[in-house]
Amino acid sequence: MNALLEKLRPVAQNTWRIVVGFTFFTHGGQKLFSWFGGTAVDYVSLRGVAGVLEFFGGIAIVLGLRTQYVAFVLSGQMAVAYWYQHVGSRGLWHWENGGELAAVYCMTFLVMSVVGGGDFSLDGVMKKRSDA
């Protein structure tokens, strides 16, 4: 069983990266362009900066471009969002403040900043070229 799971690891890692990046990108699209049922915000507000990070950071994650660096920044963004937006106005715990998604994104991006983009990412392609 471990051999099978190890063979599936690259597919799972890259699928995980792409799905997380795409869903994050859509949050940025909502804030910046009113896509996906969202409402555009002022670009020079905190929500506007969050939208820029979510939109372009999500695209970079989908592509696997500088994944570890981008994921680290996005993890920090989600930590700030949890404490500023959720805890600051509604209480500490996720069940009372609605911050569960921010907490999950924070930890997901933190793990991604350690494990990287995977073999089927632009990072993986650049690494293969530099090793050749």
Side-chain angles (χ1 to χ4, degrees):
M1 186 67 159
N2 280 344
L4 174 61
L5 292 177
E6 188 55 34
K7 286 181 183 178
L8 292 174
R9 185 197 56 75
V11 174
Q13 181 181 0
N14 288 282
T15 303
W16 166 65
R17 186 196 79 246
I18 292 165
V19 169
V20 168
F22 179 76
T23 59
F24 204 66
F25 150 85
T26 62
H27 289 288
Q30 288 178 313
K31 289 179 183 79
L32 297 179
F33 310 115
S34 301
W35 294 350
F36 315 112
T39 303
V41 299
D42 183 11
Y43 293 150
V44 292
S45 67
L46 283 177
R47 289 181 51 84
V49 171
V52 169
L53 287 171
E54 292 163 3
F55 186 80
F56 293 104
I59 290 171
I61 294 294
V62 167
L63 297 173
L65 180 63
R66 301 291 184 216
T67 306
Q68 291 177 293
Y69 301 111
V70 172
F72 186 76
V73 169
L74 297 179
S75 176
Q77 176 204 358
M78 289 292 95
V80 169
Y82 184 82
W83 288 100
Y84 182 79
Q85 184 65 32
H86 298 281
V87 171
S89 61
R90 298 180 227 159
L92 178 63
W93 302 106
H94 67 277
W95 58 82
E96 63 188 1
N97 68 25
E100 188 168 298
L101 187 57
V104 170
Y105 269 130
C106 177
M107 295 314 299
T108 297
F109 286 128
L110 188 60
V111 171
M112 196 178 291
S113 74
V114 173
V115 300
D119 297 336
F120 310 129
S121 65
L122 290 179
D123 293 339
V125 170
M126 289 186 290
K127 184 179 184 311
K128 285 178 189 173
R129 286 189 178 172
S130 68
D131 289 346

